[in-house]
Amino acid sequence: MSDDSSSTKRRKGSIRSKHHRLWNLSEVMKLIEGVSRYGVGRWTEIKRLLFSTSHRTSVDLKDKWRNLLRASGAYMTSKKKVKRTQKHMNLPLPPAAVCRIRELAIIHPYPRERKSKFPLRVTGTPPSATSHDTIISRSRRIASKQGYT
DNA sequence: CTTAGGG
DNA sequence: CCCTAAG
């Protein structure tokens, strides 16, 4: 009958037939917590903080967030279609999570609007030349992938 | 690399 | 989920 189109899609040589490859409530909750705590667009930090494991990249997190937005119905026509929220779709999300997502979706304009940087030293211009960031934590995993040439 | 958007 | 584009 109707073939699946969102989840069980075996792409390329990905023979992950029966292994962990699905977003569960646990992942969603962690996403929500990370976003509500640090903010949207901070996937890198969230990934390093909450999703330290797995190979979920920023793309995956962003994709999941978008999926949540649709599932929670954060954005709607809000003009005429006040009737039904697009039928009753299977919502594997708890009302508590949906509520948080909705709030986060409206308070967070989505984009990198972290403009709340008013404490910008405009007069001081500190010569942050005292630190050669020894970010070992990052350069490590990067060197494995992008360290060509 | 990281984020954002589209397929 | 994968690819592409811009920063």
Side-chain angles (χ1 to χ4, degrees), chain A residues 34-61:
Chain A
V35 169
S36 54
R37 229 161 136 68
Y38 306 106
V40 177
R42 225 57 63 191
W43 318 120
T44 353
E45 298 297 282
I46 300 172
K47 189 230 286 181
R48 295 216 85 174
L49 263 130
L50 267 56
F51 291 79
S52 35
T53 179
S54 37
H55 340 86
R56 258 168 225 310
T57 75
S58 334
V59 184
D60 285 310
L61 294 176

Side-chain angles (χ1 to χ4, degrees), chain A residues 97-122:
Chain A
V98 179
C99 192
R100 200 88 70 87
I101 296 168
R102 220 180 196 178
E103 297 292 299
L104 285 160
I106 54 179
I107 66 172
H108 285 291
Y110 211 85
R112 62 239 134 198
E113 247 167 271
R114 207 80 286 203
K115 60 188 173 188
S116 308
K117 293 275 183 134
F118 47 89
L120 204 78
R121 39 259 174 182
V122 197

Side-chain angles (χ1 to χ4, degrees), chain A residues 5-147:
Chain A
S5 39
S6 5
S7 311
T8 333
K9 206 88 179 231
R10 301 173 269 288
R11 215 99 189 170
K12 270 174 181 167
S14 307
I15 318 181
R16 263 84 172 192
S17 348
K18 246 149 51 160
H19 272 113
H20 23 285
R21 204 72 169 186
L22 271 145
W23 282 80
N24 299 279
L25 231 308
S26 331
E27 306 281 70
V28 175
M29 268 194 265
K30 253 157 17 175
L31 229 320
I32 297 167
E33 284 302 310
V35 169
S36 54
R37 229 161 136 68
Y38 306 106
V40 177
R42 225 57 63 191
W43 318 120
T44 353
E45 298 297 282
I46 300 172
K47 189 230 286 181
R48 295 216 85 174
L49 263 130
L50 267 56
F51 291 79
S52 35
T53 179
S54 37
H55 340 86
R56 258 168 225 310
T57 75
S58 334
V59 184
D60 285 310
L61 294 176
K62 200 206 126 58
D63 255 71
K64 216 282 159 309
W65 184 252
R66 217 153 113 230
N67 246 310
L68 287 171
L69 248 64
R70 282 197 93 156
S72 54
Y75 65 97
M76 280 302 160
T77 324
S78 13
K79 205 95 196 265
K80 272 180 154 200
K81 285 279 177 78
V82 197
K83 289 164 97 191
R84 263 93 197 158
T85 323
Q86 228 190 5
K87 255 48 173 188
H88 312 115
M89 56 174 83
N90 250 3
L91 193 69
L93 304 167
V98 179
C99 192
R100 200 88 70 87
I101 296 168
R102 220 180 196 178
E103 297 292 299
L104 285 160
I106 54 179
I107 66 172
H108 285 291
Y110 211 85
R112 62 239 134 198
E113 247 167 271
R114 207 80 286 203
K115 60 188 173 188
S116 308
K117 293 275 183 134
F118 47 89
L120 204 78
R121 39 259 174 182
V122 197
T123 6
T125 320
S128 31
T130 332
S131 53
H132 300 86
D133 292 51
T134 330
I135 314 175
I136 315 170
S137 358
R138 188 163 296 187
S139 38
R140 192 170 261 283
R141 82 154 197 279
I142 298 175
S144 313
K145 190 182 181 171
Q146 204 190 46

